[in-house]
Amino acid sequence: MSPAVAVTGQATPVKVLTGGSATGPWKVGGTDLAFPVRMPGGRFGFFCGDTFESPAPGGAGWRSPVLLFSSTTNLDAGIVFDGAAGGSYAKEILPNAHDTRELPSREAPGTEYTVIPGDALTIGTRTYLSVMSVHSWESQDWSTNFTYLAYSDNGGENWTLSPARWDNYVGALDQMWTMERHGGFVYVISTAFGRNKPAGMILRRVPEGQILTPTAYQSWGWTSQNGWAWGNPATPILPGPVGEMCVRYIQGTWVLAYFDPTLYAIVTRTAARIDGIWTEPVIQVKGGDWGATDGTYAQIYGGYIHPSSTLGNLHLIVSQWNTAAGTPYHALQFKTSVVPAGPVYTVGGAIGARYNALGADTGPLGDPVGNEYDIAGGRAQDFEHGRIYAGPTTGAWETYGLIAQKYQSLGGPAGVLGWPTSGELGTPNGQGRFNRFVQGNIYFNPQAGTHSVYGAIFQEWGRRGYEGGRFGFPTTDEYAVADGRQNDFQGGWIRWIAATGRIITS
């Protein structure tokens, strides 16, 4: 693969992020990494590596990992920290042996030099963190003992070590992780730990609910029999050597940022699919010499994407350490932009609020496939697996799957049901799903199918206990009979007589 053209200064600096008064209130003098993750409740956690009270490594208060918090939403004004796990003294959030002897056996007692965080993500109210147990820290040929997952159920204050663990071995490419959610899966791009290993990056995925089950991880790879496919042995998707990485899904585009030792730069690539073709690397922050005035930055590494970034306003966290002088040892904030890999659609207003409440692209609707548009006096927007409708007075509600198909076949908001008044819900008896609408409901049950009930028949069915009563779920939509209209149900039928307005039942 051909190297990128060396473009210097693609990203512009925003601020020095750590050190001094920025992190001093939590006794964080010198630190690195500070990769940002959206935490439960909406604020952001910044996970740091080896941290010291002094500005340079080697002083008092050595701990790793450390977690700082920020509520900053205006990234252009610069990220500001407002707390830390542990309170006024940012604590070490996971066990760390701090054993500098580097004994020969990785499994012998006392061989863990330090613990370094890789990446994190939040699913529901739980945040997962990938962590490397580092065996050797004396050269760029760093070796790990293993990588494991930890999790927090209280916003990052306390952490539990899970049994999910990946042991290191010669040639292992599953040690240094970056991970992102999309479409019900967690996607993991990983590599060896160190900046002189040429084997490159591999791609795996796991269903979100099985993230702590190592055997559930599926590799993306190539064989002569199957070509590229999930379930093949892992085949590197991008070349090495490579340093710290960060992959995020932004506005329909996969964005990968990482330290490229060959280019001596923080670079980005984009792709329309994570298992598709990646663009050539674009240099965002170029390495250089200390004291240089050409827009380069000496001894940089890292390159982490803030989760509030857009394609046009991408913010990167980059580490810098003068290993000869000891300082600076800090993280920097930069801003840049990247080219989208496909169409970019915006989701905002009431529809955007509902979309975000459902989990945005990680929720049941998937990605937007178009922009918002007018419909029947209101607004709507289409997504991979459904649609959100915003009625003039009913609010914004989604339909998806079979219920969405039925609703659209009935004319949508201009049809017999009118605007939706709820999202998709589970029935009280646990046997089906339904959406509410102004004039009635649509129900799904595996045995009865997907059908609508509305008007006078719906009211009578409701008086009889809905699907929990003797009629059960509807087995047809409303249809014409000789003397009126009728719905059939699992337990009989309900008919509306046109001449009198009476309701009769089987």
Side-chain angles (χ1 to χ4, degrees), residues 39-40 43 69 125-127 151-159:
M39 305 294 288
R43 69 175 175 171
F69 295 120
T125 59
R126 174 172 285 186
T127 300
Y151 61 87
S152 172
D153 290 324
N154 63 352
E157 186 61 33
N158 301 106
W159 293 82

Side-chain angles (χ1 to χ4, degrees), residues 406-407 409-411 415-418 435-443 451-462 466 474 476-480 484-487 489 494-496 503:
K406 175 62 68 174
Y407 181 54
S409 74
L410 294 170
V416 292
L417 291 173
N435 271 74
R436 294 190 179 104
F437 301 87
V438 172
Q439 301 298 334
N441 292 355
I442 297 177
Y443 289 84
H451 301 289
S452 62
V453 191
Y454 53 86
I457 293 176
F458 176 67
Q459 294 173 18
E460 181 64 23
W461 183 54
Y466 297 105
T476 70
D477 294 323
E478 186 178 299
Y479 61 93
R485 305 284 292 177
Q486 181 172 308
N487 270 83
F489 299 85
I494 300 175
R495 183 180 301 169
W496 172 77
I503 292 289

Side-chain angles (χ1 to χ4, degrees), residues 55-72:
W62 178 23
R63 63 248 197 236
S64 178
V66 162
L67 175 57
L68 299 169
F69 295 120
S70 172
S71 301
T72 299

Side-chain angles (χ1 to χ4, degrees), residues 180-187 208 249 254 361-362 366-367 384:
E180 175 70 310
R181 302 170 61 197
H182 181 64
F185 286 92
V186 172
Y187 290 90
E208 287 183 357
Y249 187 72
W254 289 93
D361 62 276
T362 65
D367 295 312
E384 286 181 297

Side-chain angles (χ1 to χ4, degrees), residues 206-416:
V206 62
E208 287 183 357
Q210 296 179 280
I211 189 172
L212 297 181
T213 306
T215 56
Y217 285 67
Q218 192 178 40
S219 297
W220 175 249
W222 185 90
T223 66
S224 58
Q225 295 79 19
N226 302 328
W228 284 97
W230 289 103
N232 285 340
T235 303
I237 60 169
L238 290 170
V242 62
E244 299 79 10
M245 308 174 296
C246 182
V247 67
R248 296 292 182 258
Y249 187 72
I250 304 172
Q251 294 177 288
T253 292
W254 289 93
V255 183
L256 176 65
Y258 61 96
F259 176 68
D260 186 323
T262 303
L263 295 174
Y264 189 17
I266 307 298
V267 303
T268 56
R269 295 177 186 253
T270 60
R273 295 175 54 91
I274 195 170
D275 55 5
I277 303 299
W278 291 88
T279 62
E280 292 295 313
V282 174
I283 292 178
Q284 299 292 353
V285 183
K286 179 65 177 164
D289 298 320
W290 291 105
T293 58
D294 57 358
T296 61
Y297 291 80
Q299 291 192 269
I300 53 172
Y301 55 101
Y304 301 102
I305 302 168
H306 194 284
S308 288
S309 294
T310 63
L311 297 176
N313 192 26
L314 192 87
H315 284 253
L316 297 170
I317 311 303
V318 176
S319 292
Q320 186 181 42
W321 178 21
N322 188 326
T323 53
T327 60
Y329 177 59
H330 58 199
L332 310 170
Q333 179 186 353
F334 290 83
K335 64 176 292 186
T336 186
S337 62
V338 294
V339 176
V344 176
Y345 302 111
T346 59
V347 188
I351 289 177
R354 181 61 183 169
Y355 182 59
N356 290 333
L358 291 168
D361 62 276
T362 65
L365 293 172
D367 295 312
V369 296
N371 288 318
E372 190 176 306
Y373 56 89
D374 292 323
I375 183 172
R379 302 284 285 172
Q381 188 162 4
D382 295 334
F383 300 85
E384 286 181 297
H385 308 300
R387 182 178 293 172
I388 296 179
Y389 297 89
T393 60
T394 52
W397 301 105
E398 75 283 356
T399 64
Y400 53 86
L402 294 174
I403 290 178
Q405 294 175 28
K406 175 62 68 174
Y407 181 54
Q408 291 176 37
S409 74
L410 294 170
V416 292

